[in-house]
């Protein structure tokens, strides 16, 4: 018996969406607060992993009653702040010029170019220490804003304070979005799975595009 490709695709597509969505939610459910902490830490160290996907799903799990909402937000915030420290120390230890040379040589896998470092440095130069706070609220800047803070040897206490406040606001916003979404799940369940699949696909596509188009001297 021959089954048409369209029939297979129509069957496999929704199954893939359901499996993908449920798998991500299950990972957060089973790993708990430590898993959220580690995922957010990794999101800061390895930019292609998106907090925009991690924390809403953590909020979704919390709304089901599996995790405490406040502790979810605190775990995500802690992971985000700790994850900012490697970039801070990278800036402090290597300096801007050497870090740009490292990015030019090895930045393809992190899709980190010398230009990205210049952009973060320019943002910091314009806004000073407050750039750490505002930078934590902007997806394109939030990971690398720690680099110029390290380069200028910003004092650790203000750095941690600004990073924590900014990360707390961003993490709470994303988590509460997922929390509210779960309460309306009956109304939006047909949209949640395709949207989550689209987010994952978009993140992977952007990473692959930047990997392919990476120009080490820009």
């Amino acid at each position: 018996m021959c089954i048409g490709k369209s029939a297979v695709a129509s069957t496999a597509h929704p199954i893939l969406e359901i499996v993908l969505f449920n798998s991500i939610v299950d990972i957060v459910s089973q790993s708990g607060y430590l898993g959220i902490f580690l995922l957010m830490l990794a999101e800061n160290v390895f930019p292609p992993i998106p907090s925009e996907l991690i924390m809403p799903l953590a909020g979704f799990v919390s709304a089901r009653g599996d995790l405490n909402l406040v502790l979810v937000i605190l775990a995500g915030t802690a992971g985000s702040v700790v994850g900012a420290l490697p970039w801070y120390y990278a800036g402090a230890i290597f300096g801007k010029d050497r870090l740009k040379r490292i990015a030019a040589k090895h930045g393809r896998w992190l899709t980190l170019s010398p230009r990205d470092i210049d952009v973060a440095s320019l943002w910091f130069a314009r806004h000073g220490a407050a750039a750490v706070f505002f930078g934590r609220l902007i997806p394109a800047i939030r990971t690398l804003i720690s680099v110029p803070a390290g380069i200028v040897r910003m004092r650790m206490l203000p750095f941690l304070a600004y990073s924590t406040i900014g990360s707390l606001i961003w993490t709470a916003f994303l988590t509460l979005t997922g929390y509210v979404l779960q309460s309306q799940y009956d109304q939006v369940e047909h949209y949640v799975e395709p949207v989550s699949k689209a987010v994952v696909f978009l993140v992977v596509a952007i990473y692959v595009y930047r990997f392919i188009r990476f120009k080490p001297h820009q």
Side-chain angles (χ1 to χ4, degrees):
M1 179 178 179
C2 180
I3 301 176
K5 292 183 179 179
S6 60
V8 173
S10 63
T11 302
H13 185 69
I15 292 176
L16 179 60
E17 292 173 355
I18 294 171
V19 170
L20 179 63
F21 177 79
N22 289 336
S23 295
I24 295 173
V25 171
D26 287 344
I27 290 172
V28 174
S29 298
Q30 294 170 12
S31 60
Y33 307 112
L34 177 61
I36 294 170
F37 170 84
L38 293 175
L39 285 171
M40 288 299 288
L41 189 157
E43 183 262 342
N44 282 265
V45 176
F46 188 60
I49 301 175
S51 60
E52 294 84 354
L53 183 62
I54 298 166
M55 294 314 302
L57 287 176
F60 187 95
V61 171
S62 176
R64 296 193 317 189
D66 297 340
L67 297 172
N68 179 275
L69 178 63
V70 174
L71 294 180
V72 165
I73 294 173
L74 292 178
T77 301
S80 183
V81 173
V82 173
L85 291 175
W87 288 111
Y88 175 92
Y89 285 113
I93 293 171
F94 296 113
K96 182 179 178 180
D97 292 339
R98 187 177 177 190
L99 203 56
K100 287 175 66 175
R101 290 196 296 271
I102 293 173
K105 187 175 181 179
H106 304 290
R108 179 182 296 274
W109 295 100
L110 293 176
T111 64
L112 172 66
S113 70
R115 182 178 179 277
D116 294 327
I117 297 173
D118 284 333
V119 169
S121 299
L122 180 61
W123 176 269
F124 190 90
R126 286 178 176 175
H127 301 284
V132 175
F133 167 74
F134 291 108
R136 301 303 291 175
L137 302 173
I138 302 174
I141 298 291
R142 64 188 311 271
T143 297
L144 293 179
I145 195 61
S146 303
V147 172
I151 290 173
V152 302
R153 304 292 179 114
M154 180 180 178
R155 289 190 299 120
M156 181 57 67
L157 186 58
F159 172 76
L160 290 177
Y162 281 118
S163 295
T164 299
I165 297 171
S167 297
L168 178 62
I169 294 172
W170 178 246
T171 300
F173 170 74
L174 294 177
T175 305
L176 290 172
T177 299
Y179 190 92
V180 172
L181 180 63
Q182 200 280 336
S183 67
Q184 303 296 321
Y185 189 63
D186 290 340
Q187 287 74 37
V188 300
E189 61 179 326
H190 298 298
Y191 305 98
V192 171
E193 287 152 8
V195 168
S196 65
K197 177 175 181 287
V199 170
V200 174
F201 176 80
L202 181 61
V203 169
V204 173
I206 291 173
Y207 176 76
V208 172
Y209 175 79
R210 292 198 64 184
F211 180 86
I212 295 173
R213 300 282 296 175
F214 179 80
K215 296 180 179 179
H217 300 294
Q218 286 190 356

